[in-house]
C-alpha cells in the first residue's frame, strides 16, 4: 500500500482498514504503541482507534457501525461492500493524529477499505422573529429606590444603647 498523507487539523474523517492477520495479532494491536508500529508513525491517540472483529457487531454490521455509530451519511456507504467484509477491522479517526500532519506507511497486512467523513453539525440557524427575541423586549422593572433605608442602623444603635445601659446598671 502506498503512503497515506494526513493533512494537519483534519477533522471528521474515519479510515477503515481490514486486518489480514491472525486474531492474536489483531488483538495485540489494542496494546499501547502497537498501532503506531503497523502504521509507521508515533504518538497516535489510542482512544480514537477501534480494533474489533466484524462478527462482534452482530446484526448491526459495519454498515450500521459507520452510519449509526460514527455518524457517516448513508450516501457514502456501500452496504453490499461493507457486508462482504469479514475478520478484523480497524477504524482510525482523524482525532488520533492530534491535529498534526502525518505520513502513514501501513504494514502490508493492512488494507484500506475506505475513507468516510462524519456528518458535521450545522450550527447555522434561521433568524428568530418572535417578539421576545427582539432587543430590549423584556418588561422594564421600575427604577430602584436610591434613598437608603436607615431602619437597620437605628435598631442596631438601640440594641447597643440597651447593652451599655444594662452594663452600667450592673456596675453601679
Amino acid at each position: 500500500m502506498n503512503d497515506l498523507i494526513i493533512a494537519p487539523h483534519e477533522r471528521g474523517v474515519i479510515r477503515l482498514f481490514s486486518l489480514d492477520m491472525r486474531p492474536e495479532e489483531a488483538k495485540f494491536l489494542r496494546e499501547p504503541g502497537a498501532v503506531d508500529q503497523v502504521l509507521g508513525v508515533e504518538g497516535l491517540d489510542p482512544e480514537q482507534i477501534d480494533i474489533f472483529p466484524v462478527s462482534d457487531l452482530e446484526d448491526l454490521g459495519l454498515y450500521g457501525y459507520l452510519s449509526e455509530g460514527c455518524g457517516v451519511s448513508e450516501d457514502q456507504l456501500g452496504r453490499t461492500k461493507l457486508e462482504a467484509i469479514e475478520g478484523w477491522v480497524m477504524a482510525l479517526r482523524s482525532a488520533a493524529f492530534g491535529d498534526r500532519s502525518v505520513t502513514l506507511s501501513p504494514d502490508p497486512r493492512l488494507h484500506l477499505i475506505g475513507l468516510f467523513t462524519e456528518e458535521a453539525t450545522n450550527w447555522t440557524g434561521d433568524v428568530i422573529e418572535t417578539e421576545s427575541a427582539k432587543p430590549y423586549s423584556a418588561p422594564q422593572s421600575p427604577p430602584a429606590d436610591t434613598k437608603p433605608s436607615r431602619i437597620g442602623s437605628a435598631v442596631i444603635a438601640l440594641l447597643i444603647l440597651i447593652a451599655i445601659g444594662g452594663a452600667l446598671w450592673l456596675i453601679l
Side-chain angles (χ1 to χ4, degrees), residues 66-83:
L66 291 169
S67 66
E68 296 175 30
C70 297
V72 175
S73 63
E74 293 183 15
D75 61 332
Q76 297 181 56
L77 304 173
R79 183 180 292 270
T80 54
K81 179 183 176 184
L82 292 172
E83 287 177 351

Side-chain angles (χ1 to χ4, degrees), residues 147-161:
K147 182 179 172 185
S149 175
R150 306 233 183 230
I151 294 175
S153 301
V155 170
I156 292 175
L158 182 62
L159 289 174
I160 292 173
L161 284 175

Side-chain angles (χ1 to χ4, degrees), residues 17-34:
F17 293 90
S18 65
L19 306 177
D20 186 19
M21 52 183 68
R22 294 188 324 264
E24 300 81 31
E25 292 174 306
K27 286 179 187 176
F28 176 73
L29 291 179
R30 294 176 176 167
E31 296 296 320

Side-chain angles (χ1 to χ4, degrees), residues 3 20 53 81 102 119 136 167 172:
D3 290 350
D20 186 19
K81 179 183 176 184
V102 176
E119 290 183 1
Y136 308 108
L172 299 176

Side-chain angles (χ1 to χ4, degrees), residues 97-121:
F97 306 115
D99 289 336
R100 59 192 169 109
S101 178
V102 176
T103 301
L104 301 179
S105 301
D107 186 285
R109 299 173 296 171
L110 273 65
H111 304 283
L112 183 65
I113 296 169
L115 290 146
F116 306 97
T117 55
E118 299 170 297
E119 290 183 1
T121 303

